[in-house]
Amino acid sequence: MSDTGRNPPRELEAELAAALREDQFSRAPADLAKYATDQGPVTDYREPAAVVWAETVEDVQAVVRLAARHGVPVVARGAGTGVSGGAHATEGCLVLSLERMDNILELNPDDEIARVEPGVVNAELNAAAAVHGLMYAPDPASYQVSTIGGNIATNAGGLRCAKYGVTRDAVLALDVVLADGSLIHTGHRTFKGVAGYDLTSLFVGSEGTLGIVVGATVRLKYLPTDIRTLAVFFADVQSAAAGVLALGKARVQPCILELLDGPSLKELDARNGSNLAGRGTALLLAQFDGLAAAQEAEIATAALEGQGGSVSQEDPEEAARLVDLRRRNRGLDVDSEITVGEDVAVPRSALIHYITALEEMAARHGVGVRIIAHAGDGNLHPTFWVPVPDRAGVAAMNAALDESIDKALELGGTITGEHGIGQYKLRWLALEQSEQVLQLQRNLKALFDPRGTLNPGKGIPAARRLD
């Protein structure tokens, strides 16, 4: 490394300059600051030694080979919309941006697949697929700006997960640059295929710690011909959660099933000039799609009214507005001085219990809580908050957060439903996974990345020291 510990070695810098154009490499302070973090909480702020913009697979290979030769860490990133610190810079690293690799290489409506570079924005792939009556189903709330490569790195979820699954369920094949700069292809372009170990699924959600995704073959789904949206307001959030179970018992399958509690509705109203809180204390937003959408909406209406819900079938314009308001709620969950949010999942049968526990622990710690959820798959985003960032308030907020993690695990849940471990959640992973399981993952990391240069300090905690 260099004398300062922050600058890349002069030899590496010269080799990068020879391999790339001038506008593909920067050490400008503004660029270092811009690419130092994603949207996750920052526990150890570091700026990269340099930022590199790849435009081809060969660029990625060249950068990784050179970095490996000099023992310099590489942190790959897309749009930086992650919220667990998976793309935070580490000391002396190169941040390798893939945002310029944004080509849709193939869109085959007969095979119902697309091949894309990692910098393709989720919404742009959906727009291209829609021309053929198809869609790319995974739709994280950040879909208008987040990239497919970033979605793959974190195994991103989204609103349509209730019916269509998460990113892993849509990925058929990957092109991956390994830690030594070599390029491999995993998977297949067929919907079925069980040859060998499923390395494709292993890379999905690995947060750039095993390899860097430079291409993906993804499965497309039919664009629905009919969509019906129900806005169902309840007297309290527990009743709304009970409505989720009622829909399951009615054997209908929403494509979107989102829950928002009273404080979340008030917050959205204050920010957007809407009047959701005036319609009820909690909202269950249910959307059905496909040829049976009308019939499913009718069955759902009866089931939800039986739970005390006030059901309104929204016209397409109002439905789109409600879904958009729910997506905007993502910005309210990003941590700040006075808020700290979570991404836990519990079995759906535990939703009511967990929501009640969240409200109780917030009251006991003297902090506020807002609860939203991808209720169809039990993935909750509770956000604890305090009015001012004084020391006592922040301590209480973090205590409630830790307790919310413990409670989710007690109920058979997980510490992250869709945001990933990144840097921020390393402290909790050992609560969910045994040391034996963690060590197996460390062994995999060492196999794929022997020198530990790919996104170090993310995804898997280091082994415990025996002092």
Side-chain angles (χ1 to χ4, degrees), residues 158-180:
L159 275 65
R160 289 195 292 235
C161 289
K163 182 174 182 178
Y164 294 104
V166 295
T167 298
R168 180 176 284 116
D169 300 305
V171 176
L172 299 173
L174 293 174
D175 299 309
V176 182
V177 172
L178 299 179
D180 63 358

PDB file of all heavy atoms in Angstrom, residues 158-180:
ATOM      1  N   GLY A 158     -39.248  -6.628  -2.701  1.00  0.00           N
ATOM      2  CA  GLY A 158     -40.129  -5.643  -3.302  1.00  0.00           C
ATOM      3  C   GLY A 158     -41.585  -5.914  -3.016  1.00  0.00           C
ATOM      4  O   GLY A 158     -41.946  -6.846  -2.295  1.00  0.00           O
ATOM      5  N   LEU A 159     -42.432  -5.094  -3.606  1.00  0.00           N
ATOM      6  CA  LEU A 159     -43.864  -5.184  -3.335  1.00  0.00           C
ATOM      7  C   LEU A 159     -44.499  -6.433  -3.938  1.00  0.00           C
ATOM      8  O   LEU A 159     -45.421  -7.006  -3.373  1.00  0.00           O
ATOM      9  CB  LEU A 159     -44.579  -3.930  -3.839  1.00  0.00           C
ATOM     10  CG  LEU A 159     -44.603  -2.736  -2.878  1.00  0.00           C
ATOM     11  CD1 LEU A 159     -43.195  -2.194  -2.641  1.00  0.00           C
ATOM     12  CD2 LEU A 159     -45.495  -1.620  -3.424  1.00  0.00           C
ATOM     13  N   ARG A 160     -44.013  -6.850  -5.125  1.00  0.00           N
ATOM     14  CA  ARG A 160     -44.649  -7.994  -5.795  1.00  0.00           C
ATOM     15  C   ARG A 160     -44.144  -9.338  -5.290  1.00  0.00           C
ATOM     16  O   ARG A 160     -44.523 -10.381  -5.822  1.00  0.00           O
ATOM     17  CB  ARG A 160     -44.428  -7.900  -7.309  1.00  0.00           C
ATOM     18  CG  ARG A 160     -45.224  -6.773  -7.963  1.00  0.00           C
ATOM     19  CD  ARG A 160     -45.290  -6.896  -9.474  1.00  0.00           C
ATOM     20  NE  ARG A 160     -44.018  -6.701 -10.133  1.00  0.00           N
ATOM     21  CZ  ARG A 160     -43.798  -5.808 -11.110  1.00  0.00           C
ATOM     22  NH1 ARG A 160     -44.779  -5.007 -11.502  1.00  0.00           N
ATOM     23  NH2 ARG A 160     -42.615  -5.718 -11.688  1.00  0.00           N
ATOM     24  N   CYS A 161     -43.295  -9.317  -4.249  1.00  0.00           N
ATOM     25  CA  CYS A 161     -42.750 -10.577  -3.712  1.00  0.00           C
ATOM     26  C   CYS A 161     -43.850 -11.531  -3.267  1.00  0.00           C
ATOM     27  O   CYS A 161     -43.663 -12.753  -3.298  1.00  0.00           O
ATOM     28  CB  CYS A 161     -41.857 -10.299  -2.508  1.00  0.00           C
ATOM     29  SG  CYS A 161     -40.303  -9.531  -2.928  1.00  0.00           S
ATOM     30  N   ALA A 162     -44.955 -10.998  -2.802  1.00  0.00           N
ATOM     31  CA  ALA A 162     -46.019 -11.835  -2.255  1.00  0.00           C
ATOM     32  C   ALA A 162     -46.427 -12.926  -3.240  1.00  0.00           C
ATOM     33  O   ALA A 162     -46.753 -14.049  -2.844  1.00  0.00           O
ATOM     34  CB  ALA A 162     -47.229 -10.967  -1.892  1.00  0.00           C
ATOM     35  N   LYS A 163     -46.384 -12.616  -4.529  1.00  0.00           N
ATOM     36  CA  LYS A 163     -46.800 -13.575  -5.551  1.00  0.00           C
ATOM     37  C   LYS A 163     -45.637 -14.089  -6.378  1.00  0.00           C
ATOM     38  O   LYS A 163     -45.591 -15.273  -6.721  1.00  0.00           O
ATOM     39  CB  LYS A 163     -47.840 -12.932  -6.474  1.00  0.00           C
ATOM     40  CG  LYS A 163     -48.371 -13.872  -7.564  1.00  0.00           C
ATOM     41  CD  LYS A 163     -49.508 -13.216  -8.336  1.00  0.00           C
ATOM     42  CE  LYS A 163     -50.078 -14.165  -9.387  1.00  0.00           C
ATOM     43  NZ  LYS A 163     -51.225 -13.542 -10.117  1.00  0.00           N
ATOM     44  N   TYR A 164     -44.685 -13.206  -6.699  1.00  0.00           N
ATOM     45  CA  TYR A 164     -43.675 -13.552  -7.700  1.00  0.00           C
ATOM     46  C   TYR A 164     -42.294 -13.880  -7.126  1.00  0.00           C
ATOM     47  O   TYR A 164     -41.396 -14.247  -7.874  1.00  0.00           O
ATOM     48  CB  TYR A 164     -43.547 -12.403  -8.706  1.00  0.00           C
ATOM     49  CG  TYR A 164     -44.793 -12.210  -9.542  1.00  0.00           C
ATOM     50  CD1 TYR A 164     -45.674 -11.159  -9.293  1.00  0.00           C
ATOM     51  CD2 TYR A 164     -45.096 -13.100 -10.561  1.00  0.00           C
ATOM     52  CE1 TYR A 164     -46.814 -10.985 -10.047  1.00  0.00           C
ATOM     53  CE2 TYR A 164     -46.239 -12.937 -11.319  1.00  0.00           C
ATOM     54  CZ  TYR A 164     -47.098 -11.877 -11.062  1.00  0.00           C
ATOM     55  OH  TYR A 164     -48.233 -11.720 -11.816  1.00  0.00           O
ATOM     56  N   GLY A 165     -42.124 -13.735  -5.823  1.00  0.00           N
ATOM     57  CA  GLY A 165     -40.851 -14.070  -5.230  1.00  0.00           C
ATOM     58  C   GLY A 165     -39.842 -12.939  -5.319  1.00  0.00           C
ATOM     59  O   GLY A 165     -40.130 -11.842  -5.798  1.00  0.00           O
ATOM     60  N   VAL A 166     -38.617 -13.217  -4.845  1.00  0.00           N
ATOM     61  CA  VAL A 166     -37.566 -12.212  -4.777  1.00  0.00           C
ATOM     62  C   VAL A 166     -36.633 -12.360  -5.980  1.00  0.00           C
ATOM     63  O   VAL A 166     -36.856 -13.175  -6.866  1.00  0.00           O
ATOM     64  CB  VAL A 166     -36.786 -12.338  -3.452  1.00  0.00           C
ATOM     65  CG1 VAL A 166     -37.703 -12.027  -2.273  1.00  0.00           C
ATOM     66  CG2 VAL A 166     -36.186 -13.732  -3.297  1.00  0.00           C
ATOM     67  N   THR A 167     -35.561 -11.581  -5.987  1.00  0.00           N
ATOM     68  CA  THR A 167     -34.670 -11.572  -7.143  1.00  0.00           C
ATOM     69  C   THR A 167     -34.139 -12.958  -7.475  1.00  0.00           C
ATOM     70  O   THR A 167     -34.089 -13.347  -8.652  1.00  0.00           O
ATOM     71  CB  THR A 167     -33.497 -10.603  -6.889  1.00  0.00           C
ATOM     72  OG1 THR A 167     -34.018  -9.277  -6.716  1.00  0.00           O
ATOM     73  CG2 THR A 167     -32.526 -10.606  -8.050  1.00  0.00           C
ATOM     74  N   ARG A 168     -33.740 -13.714  -6.470  1.00  0.00           N
ATOM     75  CA  ARG A 168     -33.192 -15.053  -6.718  1.00  0.00           C
ATOM     76  C   ARG A 168     -34.141 -15.908  -7.546  1.00  0.00           C
ATOM     77  O   ARG A 168     -33.699 -16.728  -8.359  1.00  0.00           O
ATOM     78  CB  ARG A 168     -32.881 -15.741  -5.391  1.00  0.00           C
ATOM     79  CG  ARG A 168     -32.300 -17.143  -5.559  1.00  0.00           C
ATOM     80  CD  ARG A 168     -31.914 -17.785  -4.234  1.00  0.00           C
ATOM     81  NE  ARG A 168     -30.669 -17.234  -3.726  1.00  0.00           N
ATOM     82  CZ  ARG A 168     -30.553 -16.553  -2.603  1.00  0.00           C
ATOM     83  NH1 ARG A 168     -31.641 -16.319  -1.869  1.00  0.00           N
ATOM     84  NH2 ARG A 168     -29.390 -16.100  -2.193  1.00  0.00           N
ATOM     85  N   ASP A 169     -35.435 -15.735  -7.371  1.00  0.00           N
ATOM     86  CA  ASP A 169     -36.421 -16.536  -8.095  1.00  0.00           C
ATOM     87  C   ASP A 169     -36.501 -16.172  -9.572  1.00  0.00           C
ATOM     88  O   ASP A 169     -37.125 -16.908 -10.353  1.00  0.00           O
ATOM     89  CB  ASP A 169     -37.803 -16.366  -7.447  1.00  0.00           C
ATOM     90  CG  ASP A 169     -37.811 -16.815  -5.998  1.00  0.00           C
ATOM     91  OD1 ASP A 169     -37.435 -17.977  -5.748  1.00  0.00           O
ATOM     92  OD2 ASP A 169     -38.173 -16.014  -5.121  1.00  0.00           O
ATOM     93  N   ALA A 170     -35.901 -15.055  -9.959  1.00  0.00           N
ATOM     94  CA  ALA A 170     -35.965 -14.612 -11.355  1.00  0.00           C
ATOM     95  C   ALA A 170     -34.642 -14.747 -12.092  1.00  0.00           C
ATOM     96  O   ALA A 170     -34.580 -14.506 -13.291  1.00  0.00           O
ATOM     97  CB  ALA A 170     -36.426 -13.148 -11.413  1.00  0.00           C
ATOM     98  N   VAL A 171     -33.577 -15.126 -11.384  1.00  0.00           N
ATOM     99  CA  VAL A 171     -32.254 -15.192 -12.009  1.00  0.00           C
ATOM    100  C   VAL A 171     -31.967 -16.611 -12.472  1.00  0.00           C
ATOM    101  O   VAL A 171     -31.985 -17.556 -11.684  1.00  0.00           O
ATOM    102  CB  VAL A 171     -31.159 -14.724 -11.025  1.00  0.00           C
ATOM    103  CG1 VAL A 171     -29.777 -14.888 -11.663  1.00  0.00           C
ATOM    104  CG2 VAL A 171     -31.388 -13.273 -10.641  1.00  0.00           C
ATOM    105  N   LEU A 172     -31.688 -16.757 -13.767  1.00  0.00           N
ATOM    106  CA  LEU A 172     -31.411 -18.063 -14.357  1.00  0.00           C
ATOM    107  C   LEU A 172     -29.921 -18.329 -14.530  1.00  0.00           C
ATOM    108  O   LEU A 172     -29.469 -19.464 -14.402  1.00  0.00           O
ATOM    109  CB  LEU A 172     -32.103 -18.177 -15.728  1.00  0.00           C
ATOM    110  CG  LEU A 172     -33.624 -18.058 -15.736  1.00  0.00           C
ATOM    111  CD1 LEU A 172     -34.142 -18.027 -17.173  1.00  0.00           C
ATOM    112  CD2 LEU A 172     -34.258 -19.215 -14.975  1.00  0.00           C
ATOM    113  N   ALA A 173     -29.157 -17.298 -14.870  1.00  0.00           N
ATOM    114  CA  ALA A 173     -27.730 -17.483 -15.152  1.00  0.00           C
ATOM    115  C   ALA A 173     -26.983 -16.197 -14.845  1.00  0.00           C
ATOM    116  O   ALA A 173     -27.560 -15.098 -14.885  1.00  0.00           O
ATOM    117  CB  ALA A 173     -27.517 -17.884 -16.608  1.00  0.00           C
ATOM    118  N   LEU A 174     -25.688 -16.340 -14.566  1.00  0.00           N
ATOM    119  CA  LEU A 174     -24.854 -15.185 -14.245  1.00  0.00           C
ATOM    120  C   LEU A 174     -23.500 -15.295 -14.934  1.00  0.00           C
ATOM    121  O   LEU A 174     -22.963 -16.394 -15.111  1.00  0.00           O
ATOM    122  CB  LEU A 174     -24.625 -15.081 -12.735  1.00  0.00           C
ATOM    123  CG  LEU A 174     -25.835 -14.765 -11.853  1.00  0.00           C
ATOM    124  CD1 LEU A 174     -25.445 -14.861 -10.384  1.00  0.00           C
ATOM    125  CD2 LEU A 174     -26.396 -13.392 -12.169  1.00  0.00           C
ATOM    126  N   ASP A 175     -22.956 -14.153 -15.282  1.00  0.00           N
ATOM    127  CA  ASP A 175     -21.553 -14.029 -15.655  1.00  0.00           C
ATOM    128  C   ASP A 175     -20.868 -13.323 -14.495  1.00  0.00           C
ATOM    129  O   ASP A 175     -21.300 -12.232 -14.084  1.00  0.00           O
ATOM    130  CB  ASP A 175     -21.397 -13.220 -16.939  1.00  0.00           C
ATOM    131  CG  ASP A 175     -22.103 -13.885 -18.111  1.00  0.00           C
ATOM    132  OD1 ASP A 175     -21.858 -15.085 -18.338  1.00  0.00           O
ATOM    133  OD2 ASP A 175     -22.900 -13.207 -18.795  1.00  0.00           O
ATOM    134  N   VAL A 176     -19.807 -13.932 -13.977  1.00  0.00           N
ATOM    135  CA  VAL A 176     -19.192 -13.442 -12.747  1.00  0.00           C
ATOM    136  C   VAL A 176     -17.681 -13.364 -12.919  1.00  0.00           C
ATOM    137  O   VAL A 176     -17.046 -14.316 -13.388  1.00  0.00           O
ATOM    138  CB  VAL A 176     -19.519 -14.369 -11.551  1.00  0.00           C
ATOM    139  CG1 VAL A 176     -18.913 -13.823 -10.262  1.00  0.00           C
ATOM    140  CG2 VAL A 176     -21.028 -14.536 -11.401  1.00  0.00           C
ATOM    141  N   VAL A 177     -17.117 -12.224 -12.528  1.00  0.00           N
ATOM    142  CA  VAL A 177     -15.667 -12.081 -12.464  1.00  0.00           C
ATOM    143  C   VAL A 177     -15.222 -12.451 -11.054  1.00  0.00           C
ATOM    144  O   VAL A 177     -15.694 -11.882 -10.074  1.00  0.00           O
ATOM    145  CB  VAL A 177     -15.225 -10.652 -12.817  1.00  0.00           C
ATOM    146  CG1 VAL A 177     -13.727 -10.464 -12.552  1.00  0.00           C
ATOM    147  CG2 VAL A 177     -15.537 -10.338 -14.275  1.00  0.00           C
ATOM    148  N   LEU A 178     -14.322 -13.423 -10.978  1.00  0.00           N
ATOM    149  CA  LEU A 178     -13.833 -13.889  -9.687  1.00  0.00           C
ATOM    150  C   LEU A 178     -12.684 -13.022  -9.187  1.00  0.00           C
ATOM    151  O   LEU A 178     -12.212 -12.126  -9.888  1.00  0.00           O
ATOM    152  CB  LEU A 178     -13.395 -15.351  -9.801  1.00  0.00           C
ATOM    153  CG  LEU A 178     -14.492 -16.339 -10.201  1.00  0.00           C
ATOM    154  CD1 LEU A 178     -13.928 -17.747 -10.299  1.00  0.00           C
ATOM    155  CD2 LEU A 178     -15.672 -16.308  -9.239  1.00  0.00           C
ATOM    156  N   ALA A 179     -12.209 -13.335  -7.989  1.00  0.00           N
ATOM    157  CA  ALA A 179     -11.225 -12.480  -7.321  1.00  0.00           C
ATOM    158  C   ALA A 179      -9.894 -12.412  -8.050  1.00  0.00           C
ATOM    159  O   ALA A 179      -9.131 -11.459  -7.864  1.00  0.00           O
ATOM    160  CB  ALA A 179     -11.005 -12.965  -5.889  1.00  0.00           C
ATOM    161  N   ASP A 180      -9.598 -13.405  -8.890  1.00  0.00           N
ATOM    162  CA  ASP A 180      -8.346 -13.373  -9.653  1.00  0.00           C
ATOM    163  C   ASP A 180      -8.519 -12.751 -11.030  1.00  0.00           C
ATOM    164  O   ASP A 180      -7.582 -12.742 -11.835  1.00  0.00           O
ATOM    165  CB  ASP A 180      -7.768 -14.786  -9.785  1.00  0.00           C
ATOM    166  CG  ASP A 180      -8.698 -15.728 -10.560  1.00  0.00           C
ATOM    167  OD1 ASP A 180      -9.801 -15.300 -10.966  1.00  0.00           O
ATOM    168  OD2 ASP A 180      -8.316 -16.906 -10.757  1.00  0.00           O
TER     169      ASP A 180
END
